[in-house]
Amino acid sequence: MIWATSTTYFDSAATANSGFDARNWFSGMESMEWRLPLTIFLVAVGVFVVLYLIIMLSRLYARRHRLTPAQARKVLLRVQVPKFLGKNTESGQAPSAQQIQEAISVTENIFNAIGSLEAKKGLKTWWLGHDDEVGFEVVVKNSIIYFYVSVPKYLQNYLEEQIHAQHPYALIEEIDDYNIFQPTGVALGAYLKYVKDYIYPIRSYKKMEGDPMNSLLNALSKFDTESGGAIQMIFRSADGAWHKRSTKVASLAHQGKKLEDAFAEVNKGPIASFFDWFKKEKKDGEKDTYRLTSKEDEAVKGIEEKTSKAGLDVNIRVVVSAANKSLAEQRLNDLLNAFNLFNIYEYGNGFKAEKPSRLDSLMNKFIFREFDEGYKMLMNIEEMASIFHFPLAFTDAPNIDWLLSKKAPAPLNTPTDGLLLGENEYRGRLTPIHIKPADRRRHMYVIGMTGVGKSVFLEGLAIQDILAGRGVCFIDPHGDAIDTILARTPKERADDVILFDPSDLDRPMSLNLFEFDSTAQRTMAVNELLAIFDKLYDLKSTGGPMFEQYFRNAALLMMEDPESGNTILDLPRILADDDYRQMKLSKAKDEEIKNFWIKQAQKAGGEASLQNIVPYITSKLTTFISNDYMRPIIAQQKSSFNFAEAVNSNKIILVKLSKGLIGSMNADLLGMIVIGKILMAVLSRASIPEDQRTDYYLYIDEFQNFLTDSIEVILSEARKYKLNLIVAHQYIGQLINKGDTRFKDAIFGNVGTKVAFRIGVEDSEFLAKEFAPVFNESDFLNCPKATCYTKLLIDNANPPPFNMKVPYYDKYATANPKIAMAIRELSRLKYGRDRAIIEEEIRQKQLNLDL
């Protein structure tokens, strides 16, 4: 209308004044007035587009390169939690719904720790993107279900602390990224989105009887080794404004509006709200009110409950890989269908799957764990914990990557010096574990199956003692440990080494069973021999009191005059040879011994009776006397070295009892004799002031083979004489003989430091009580190789137990075969004798006695 009026006016003016062309004038004015603004507008738009493109490209470049700084780089953590029995061991019943909910609820605290962080926003966040996004992932690979956490480097410690706060025994390890894809396979994926607006809640674990995650884990457990799958949740703290929207909907519903009307009103845009302002309100008496149904009221409560907790912006991706497309689709659908468990129909929310048109974009974001704003959902921490939590003690889904054995921290007062036992690794911190000399005097007990590292542990301790100049005796029933120790013995201690190797037939050493230094030692030696033969032959069943009576008195009579014969070869002659016995009686001074032989043995039954006794005793001795390995060792009158002198001068006694070479019974006999000799040696220290007694360390591997009364005495009394016992074996049943538990009781009643490697079921039940409440049966059954649980004595007190990794003995010294060979030859020359000479001496002795 305005343009038309102007045209009419100028037409009239042109008619009235033919000298002025108004239309042309206006056209000229139009071209001048309007083209300039249009040009400016187009230039401005062009500049804006160019600037926008520059900004977006630079922003994209910044985002692509923002992951390179250390403070923004994401790390991938593998999380393992320990597995306990899924049933209540006391009642035998499955866990209640309350127990399951309580177990899941702790995960809310982890999500709340992220939700409590200030939501990133502003120009810097818009420009560079978010660097506060955390990922929780459940992954199946090679049919094993793993749990991973991805986190920016600067948040790593914070998140680990939050996880450990709720799962104190969880193992969190930084690892390289996993790969679920096969080179020739097919990969598919999808996003999950809400069916309705985010203010509506999904069905959470508090509305379920069981663990909602079981459906997801069961679906993952069906993947074969050629398939892979992952449920990835990328989330960050949400802007707190979402609470206001949810609260307003609930408020309007409570004020008498239908739920959908309340939702529609909150969702009105600014224009609609502006026009509503002009509408006339009805009078108060004419206002419509609506009464919520029970279902609607429950829905409003759900909205209020959801907004009452911290919220997170979330992406949920489901990705699978399989050998072919059909199988991949089946795997993907199985996982997506498992999420139907969380749906609340009609008055709640649920999930729907959206498969993007560009699969490569989804896979790229999955691999780089990027957040996609187009698939953002807002979930509160209860909903998050329902979908993802670490497996519960009650979880029965198979193939989960459980933490097979727990870890615990070393005590705060762990000694910083002394003998190094190993290292405690706990939450990324390594603590060296030492033991003080005073605490070592309360002895050490080591138990573990074959091949778990206990022999390596003992060898490492002995090598340290040798390097420190201490006195050591190591009894090895296999022989390998002696070779290891010998190869790492420094040349400076070559003169201290006494290598007792019964398998050395060329230069055997001597070990006289009946040798003694005092009257007290004589009685102790006989008692020890009786205990040894009882251990070897079960004398209570095969010999009885008669064997003990005649053996004891024959040995004591023989030892009355050592010069006329005092070896195991001479003992049968006292019983069988009347002339030899009479010669011994003529030299005897002990009236009790003489009375036994004259008034009881000979008078009661005469030689005929003695002839009947002889086989009971000699049959037990012949095994050793006729043995080519044993005869030269036990038939010599004088031992190759004095044990008391060796102990008091810190000698290194290495006893190599290779059962495969000398036989099991021979090895057991010699081992028990050596233990008895060392006990007699330390008991003889009674005459030495206590402050002048030096510590001596006795190592016994497979010590169940050498159990005699000497072990009991060492455990209960040897501490004051500074004999430190370190024993190792395989299972507790080896300490019990026909119901006799005295050795077991002596070990667990007297030993200060206990070290347990992987053990069997029965032992785990027993030791779980010793190591409670930190470790249980499952921990002992699944303890990794070269790792043990330790109950360390510290200043004569036992703090809580902890895990410990045993270092390899090369940590202390490098093997030197040349020095080992030289030390071996030196010991043979010093303490061994030529076999031919020994055999000739034995032959000559027999001839002289016969004459």
Side-chain angles (χ1 to χ4, degrees):
M1 293 294 294
I2 298 173
W3 177 255
T5 304
S6 301
T7 303
T8 304
Y9 170 78
F10 284 114
D11 285 344
S12 301
T15 304
N17 186 2
S18 59
F20 175 74
D21 188 349
R23 188 181 297 274
N24 292 334
W25 178 85
F26 182 79
S27 297
M29 291 297 294
E30 182 183 18
S31 62
M32 294 174 61
E33 296 290 336
W34 295 92
R35 286 182 180 178
L36 182 60
L38 179 60
T39 302
I40 294 173
F41 173 75
L42 292 175
V43 171
V45 170
V47 171
F48 175 80
V49 170
V50 171
L51 289 175
Y52 178 79
L53 290 174
I54 292 173
I55 290 172
M56 295 307 295
L57 288 173
S58 63
R59 184 183 177 206
L60 179 62
Y61 177 84
R63 287 191 175 190
R64 288 299 183 193
H65 291 269
R66 72 179 175 85
L67 297 179
T68 54
Q71 66 270 21
R73 180 173 56 86
K74 283 187 178 180
V75 296
L76 185 65
L77 307 174
R78 174 188 176 191
V79 181
Q80 294 174 291
V81 293
K83 168 67 175 174
F84 299 100
L85 296 176
K87 305 291 182 182
N88 186 310
T89 54
E90 296 181 0
S91 64
Q93 301 295 320
S96 65
Q98 181 180 354
Q99 288 176 312
I100 293 175
Q101 290 172 12
E102 289 175 353
I104 297 174
S105 65
V106 300
T107 308
E108 286 193 37
N109 297 325
I110 301 174
F111 288 118
N112 190 60
I114 303 300
S116 63
L117 298 174
E118 184 179 357
K120 293 290 185 73
K121 52 188 176 180
L123 181 61
K124 182 179 179 181
T125 301
W126 176 84
W127 183 268
L128 294 177
H130 284 266
D131 63 350
D132 58 346
E133 294 156 354
V134 176
F136 278 23
E137 304 171 26
V138 189
V139 178
V140 60
K141 181 183 178 183
N142 296 325
S143 297
I144 300 176
I145 301 173
Y146 300 91
F147 290 78
Y148 296 107
V149 174
S150 63
V151 59
K153 185 67 177 179
Y154 76 95
L155 284 176
Q156 180 179 355
N157 290 338
Y158 174 73
L159 187 58
E160 287 184 9
E161 290 170 0
Q162 301 305 317
I163 295 175
H164 277 138
Q166 310 307 323
H167 301 278
Y169 297 113
L171 175 63
I172 304 176
E173 294 180 309
E174 185 175 339
I175 62 167
D176 295 331
D177 210 343
Y178 59 85
N179 181 13
I180 62 171
F181 304 108
Q182 300 292 336
T184 59
V186 176
L188 296 176
Y191 283 95
L192 287 179
K193 291 198 72 175
Y194 280 141
V195 174
K196 298 180 182 179
D197 191 273
Y198 71 79
I199 69 168
Y200 295 102
I202 60 171
R203 189 179 180 210
S204 74
Y205 70 90
K206 291 187 177 179
K207 303 296 191 297
M208 302 183 192
E209 292 296 319
D211 182 0
M213 199 172 176
N214 276 343
S215 61
L216 300 176
L217 295 178
N218 287 328
L220 289 170
S221 67
K222 296 176 182 178
F223 281 52
D224 55 49
T225 55
E226 300 300 322
S227 302
I231 300 171
Q232 184 184 77
M233 301 176 67
I234 305 296
F235 58 93
R236 64 187 183 223
S237 180
D239 192 330
W242 76 277
H243 291 285
K244 297 180 181 179
R245 186 165 173 267
S246 300
T247 303
K248 189 172 182 181
V249 171
S251 176
L252 291 173
H254 284 307
Q255 292 174 23
K257 285 185 177 292
K258 289 184 178 182
L259 185 57
E260 56 266 28
D261 292 341
F263 180 75
E265 183 171 332
V266 171
N267 280 351
K268 284 180 180 178
I271 297 176
S273 300
F274 176 77
F275 282 107
D276 283 348
W277 184 76
F278 289 99
K279 291 182 180 178
K280 294 181 179 179
E281 295 185 356
K282 295 181 179 180
K283 295 180 180 178
D284 293 342
E286 296 177 353
K287 282 187 177 180
D288 290 333
T289 57
Y290 177 78
R291 186 170 184 178
L292 299 175
T293 66
S294 60
K295 290 289 186 181
E296 289 174 321
D297 187 57
E298 185 178 344
V300 173
K301 289 181 180 178
I303 293 172
E304 292 177 320
E305 288 174 358
K306 178 168 183 174
T307 193
S308 66
K309 296 187 177 183
L312 299 165
D313 291 331
V314 188
N315 277 172
I316 300 181
R317 299 186 187 97
V318 180
V319 174
V320 299
S321 173
N324 54 69
K325 185 176 181 180
S326 175
L327 184 58
E329 289 178 343
Q330 178 186 336
R331 300 295 189 205
L332 180 60
N333 290 333
D334 288 345
L335 286 178
L336 294 175
N337 291 335
F339 283 90
N340 292 336
L341 180 68
F342 302 100
N343 293 352
I344 301 177
Y345 299 97
E346 189 177 359
Y347 290 105
N349 215 336
F351 293 115
K352 62 181 179 181
E354 287 199 8
K355 301 177 182 179
S357 57
R358 290 188 57 194
L359 183 62
D360 60 335
S361 175
L362 182 148
M363 292 300 175
N364 187 66
K365 291 184 182 298
F366 166 76
I367 292 171
F368 290 100
R369 297 177 175 87
E370 293 183 7
F371 195 92
D372 193 324
E373 297 291 341
Y375 295 96
K376 181 175 71 175
M377 294 185 290
L378 196 146
M379 304 177 71
N380 75 356
I381 58 176
E382 182 180 318
E383 294 172 321
M384 292 285 287
S386 303
I387 297 174
F388 182 98
H389 49 264
F390 298 111
L392 311 178
F394 322 110
T395 301
D396 293 324
N399 305 331
I400 291 177
D401 179 36
W402 294 102
L403 175 63
L404 298 180
S405 57
K406 296 196 298 289
K407 293 186 177 182
L412 295 177
N413 61 335
T414 300
T416 56
D417 56 5
L419 186 76
L420 178 65
L421 302 181
E423 289 181 330
N424 169 250
E425 182 181 359
Y426 185 71
R427 298 185 182 178
R429 179 182 178 186
L430 289 177
T431 303
I433 304 300
H434 296 267
I435 184 171
K436 297 179 180 180
D439 292 324
R440 294 188 69 185
R441 293 174 193 140
R442 290 292 302 272
H443 315 301
M444 182 183 295
Y445 171 71
V446 183
I447 185 171
M449 293 178 171
T450 301
V452 295
K454 63 181 185 297
S455 294
V456 172
F457 176 60
L458 261 64
E459 292 159 15
L461 302 186
I463 290 169
Q464 288 184 77
D465 283 332
I466 291 172
L467 293 173
R470 304 182 187 109
V472 171
C473 176
F474 198 108
I475 300 177
D476 176 20
H478 305 297
D480 295 338
I482 297 301
D483 294 335
T484 298
I485 295 170
L486 198 62
R488 289 159 179 81
T489 300
K491 61 181 180 181
E492 294 80 9
R493 299 210 63 187
D495 283 335
D496 293 335
V497 175
I498 303 172
L499 176 60
F500 180 43
D501 183 2
S503 66
D504 186 353
L505 293 175
D506 295 332
R507 291 190 66 83
M509 293 173 60
S510 171
L511 186 63
N512 188 356
L513 285 63
F514 297 96
E515 196 172 35
F516 63 95
D517 294 328
S518 64
T519 303
Q521 280 193 9
R522 183 183 69 170
T523 303
M524 184 177 178
V526 174
N527 290 338
E528 187 64 23
L529 284 170
L530 279 169
I532 289 172
F533 283 107
D534 184 36
K535 165 77 175 176
L536 295 174
Y537 294 108
D538 190 12
L539 296 181
K540 294 180 178 63
S541 301
T542 61
M546 190 70 71
F547 178 94
E548 179 180 346
Q549 185 181 34
Y550 276 86
F551 181 91
R552 181 186 297 277
N553 283 280
L556 290 173
L557 177 60
M558 181 182 66
M559 297 166 74
E560 278 284 284
D561 182 46
E563 296 299 325
S564 58
N566 189 40
T567 70
I568 196 170
L569 293 179
D570 302 313
L571 188 65
R573 294 177 66 88
I574 290 179
L575 298 168
D577 189 335
D578 181 55
D579 293 336
Y580 183 72
R581 185 171 59 252
Q582 294 302 325
M583 183 269 293
K584 280 287 190 181
L585 284 170
S586 67
K587 297 177 181 293
K589 298 178 181 179
D590 192 314
E591 293 298 326
E592 245 185 79
I593 296 173
K594 293 170 68 174
N595 287 337
F596 171 81
W597 288 106
I598 296 172
K599 297 181 179 180
Q600 294 184 46
Q602 295 178 171
K603 200 168 188 179
E607 287 300 316
S609 176
L610 280 175
Q611 293 300 323
N612 293 329
I613 295 294
V614 170
Y616 285 104
I617 298 176
T618 57
S619 63
K620 309 297 188 295
L621 306 179
T622 302
T623 303
F624 309 108
I625 294 173
S626 60
N627 187 282
D628 289 337
Y629 286 103
M630 296 294 290
R631 186 176 60 255
I633 296 173
I634 61 178
Q636 296 186 61
Q637 186 76 20
K638 184 174 179 60
S639 295
S640 295
F641 62 94
N642 184 282
F643 277 88
E645 181 183 336
V647 168
N648 293 329
S649 59
N650 291 333
K651 288 291 191 290
I652 304 168
I653 305 174
L654 302 179
V655 185
K656 185 177 182 179
L657 305 176
S658 303
K659 289 186 176 183
L661 296 176
I662 67 173
S664 178
M665 184 172 287
N666 295 331
D668 294 348
L669 172 67
L670 293 174
M672 287 184 280
I673 292 173
V674 170
I675 293 170
K677 293 283 187 183
I678 288 179
L679 176 60
M680 287 191 289
V682 297
L683 292 179
S684 67
R685 287 179 164 187
S687 59
I688 302 175
E690 186 172 353
D691 59 346
Q692 296 180 20
R693 300 169 190 166
T694 57
D695 286 290
Y696 197 81
Y697 300 92
L698 174 58
Y699 292 84
I700 311 175
D701 197 4
E702 305 295 349
F703 89 111
Q704 77 279 356
N705 298 317
F706 315 112
L707 288 175
T708 64
D709 294 340
S710 294
I711 297 293
E712 279 192 277
V713 175
I714 292 173
L715 289 171
S716 59
E717 299 181 21
R719 178 177 59 87
K720 64 185 70 143
Y721 299 106
K722 295 188 179 180
L723 175 62
N724 306 280
L725 186 63
I726 304 96
V727 295
H729 72 130
Q730 297 171 4
Y731 57 94
I732 296 174
Q734 295 171 323
L735 307 180
I736 303 172
N737 181 26
K738 296 182 179 179
D740 184 2
T741 63
R742 59 196 177 107
F743 292 114
K744 171 187 170 184
D745 298 338
I747 288 291
F748 290 99
N750 290 295
V751 171
T753 297
K754 302 178 181 70
V755 178
F757 290 81
R758 190 190 315 133
I759 52 179
V761 176
E762 292 185 6
D763 293 342
S764 66
E765 293 176 357
F766 179 82
L767 285 180
K769 300 174 183 177
E770 286 275 333
F771 287 72
V774 181
F775 301 112
N776 60 21
E777 294 95 326
S778 177
D779 299 316
F780 290 107
L781 291 172
N782 298 289
C783 189
K785 184 179 179 180
T787 301
C788 58
Y789 294 121
T790 305
K791 199 170 184 183
L792 180 66
L793 190 71
I794 302 177
D795 297 328
N796 207 29
N798 265 133
F802 54 90
N803 59 284
M804 185 175 71
K805 190 170 182 62
V806 175
Y808 199 62
Y809 36 65
D810 278 350
K811 176 183 178 67
Y812 311 113
T814 303
N816 191 327
K818 292 183 178 180
I819 290 182
M821 187 177 296
I823 294 175
R824 187 187 302 272
E825 288 303 314
L826 179 62
S827 177
R828 293 177 77 235
L829 293 172
K830 288 177 65 175
Y831 302 103
R833 298 179 66 203
D834 186 270
R835 182 184 181 87
I837 296 175
I838 296 172
E839 294 287 1
E840 180 61 24
E841 287 181 352
I842 294 173
R843 191 179 69 82
Q844 288 295 330
K845 180 179 179 181
Q846 295 296 327
L847 289 174
N848 292 335
L849 290 174
D850 291 339
L851 294 174

